[in-house]
């Protein structure tokens, strides 16, 4: 497969294309499919998110679960709109909102995900420099997500941002669980040390990723694209993948791993 074809066959597993304006900028610069992470309104207002997703056959929704709002009502609303919103997963904003993935209060979310073949993505580790946060970095640790993954083996979980900065520990945990995946989306936010030293960040990510065998099947391509919060980087992720992985595994990173991680996405794509 030549590079031009590969670049068209991409699934960005982690974006915040929550408005028509952001969508226009994103697809002016790249192509493929993208999964949209809805924000809780308490973190960032994104009232156009759902209509932006439903109006474009390249976009699919990860509906947010706001941990500061009763969970059952949120699940009831999502359940009523699974197909018309093109929901492929749920997003939980640990770190930003206090809590651990292993808290029993969150288990109804995973039971819901199991019933509907949804994937659960967690924000982990450090937060954006510009968004409001409870700053519960410890609560978002990958080891708590591992406990949830063990208790719900039919649900796939994504540890977004590779549990920044606990990269090597995250990769070890991911490698030990068939239903765990991770990405390094959002790494190059303007103003961060990674954003100021991309090659240094690549060495750090590469060392962690290569510390365990077979990790190329557990890494997802994701950018965290959201220009309103200084996340407009795209080329940096292609550059990182080219530096960290050999070309023969690019199809895994860009496309195939995401289809395994998000089984409901595969169903929607096959129906197009």
């Amino acid at each position: 497969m030549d590079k031009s074809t590969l670049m068209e066959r991409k699934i960005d597993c982690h974006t915040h294309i929550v408005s028509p304006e952001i969508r226009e900028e994103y697809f002016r610069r790249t192509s493929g499919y993208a999964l949209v992470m809805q924000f809780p309104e308490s973190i960032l207002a994104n009232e156009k998110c759902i209509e932006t997703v439903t109006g474009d056959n390249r976009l699919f929704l990860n509906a947010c679960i706001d941990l500061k709002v009763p969970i059952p009502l949120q699940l009831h609303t999502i359940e009523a709109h699974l197909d018309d919103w093109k929901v492929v997963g749920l997003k939980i904003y640990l770190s930003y909102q206090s809590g651990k993935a292993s808290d029993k209060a969150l288990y109804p979310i995973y039971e819901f995900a199991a019933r509907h073949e949804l994937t659960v993505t967690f924000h982990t580790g450090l937060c954006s420099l510009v968004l409001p946060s409870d700053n519960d970095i410890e609560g978002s640790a990958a080891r708590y997500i591992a406990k949830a993954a063990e208790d719900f083996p039919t649900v796939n979980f994504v540890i977004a941002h590779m549990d920044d900065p606990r990269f090597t520990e995250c990769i070890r945990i991911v490698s030990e669980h068939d239903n765990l995946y991770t990405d390094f989306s959002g790494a190059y936010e303007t103003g961060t040390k990674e954003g100021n030293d991309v090659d240094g960040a690549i060495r750090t990510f590469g060392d962690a990723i290569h510390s365990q065998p077979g990790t190329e099947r557990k890494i997802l391509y994701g950018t965290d694209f959201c220009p309103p919060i200084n996340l407009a980087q795209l080329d940096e992720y292609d550059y990182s993948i080219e530096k960290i992985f050999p070309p023969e595994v690019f199809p895994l990173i860009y496309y195939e791993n995401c289809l395994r991680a998000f089984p409901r996405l595969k169903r929607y794509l096959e129906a197009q």
Side-chain angles (χ1 to χ4, degrees), residues 171-191:
I171 291 298
R172 180 187 65 78
I173 290 170
V174 166
S175 72
E176 294 172 348
H177 296 80
D178 290 342
N179 57 334
L180 287 183
Y181 296 82
T182 191
D183 65 43
F184 50 88
S185 64
Y188 303 121
E189 179 182 2
T190 303

Side-chain angles (χ1 to χ4, degrees), residues 165-257:
R166 299 168 290 217
F167 305 119
T168 301
E169 176 72 1
C170 177
I171 291 298
R172 180 187 65 78
I173 290 170
V174 166
S175 72
E176 294 172 348
H177 296 80
D178 290 342
N179 57 334
L180 287 183
Y181 296 82
T182 191
D183 65 43
F184 50 88
S185 64
Y188 303 121
E189 179 182 2
T190 303
T192 63
K193 68 180 187 302
E194 289 85 3
N196 292 330
D197 181 11
V198 173
D199 286 310
I202 289 170
R203 287 192 293 272
T204 298
F205 300 149
D207 287 347
I209 289 168
H210 296 311
S211 68
Q212 298 291 333
T215 313
E216 67 275 1
R217 292 184 58 82
K218 307 305 287 291
I219 304 294
L220 307 179
Y221 162 67
T223 64
D224 213 5
F225 189 79
C226 189
I229 59 171
N230 301 326
L231 288 167
Q233 300 79 11
L234 290 176
D235 294 341
E236 289 85 345
Y237 295 96
D238 290 338
Y239 176 67
S240 299
I241 289 166
E242 290 171 6
K243 290 292 186 180
I244 294 172
F245 299 100
E248 59 266 26
V249 306
F250 288 176
L252 286 174
I253 307 300
Y254 279 116
Y255 196 83
E256 294 169 19
N257 290 345

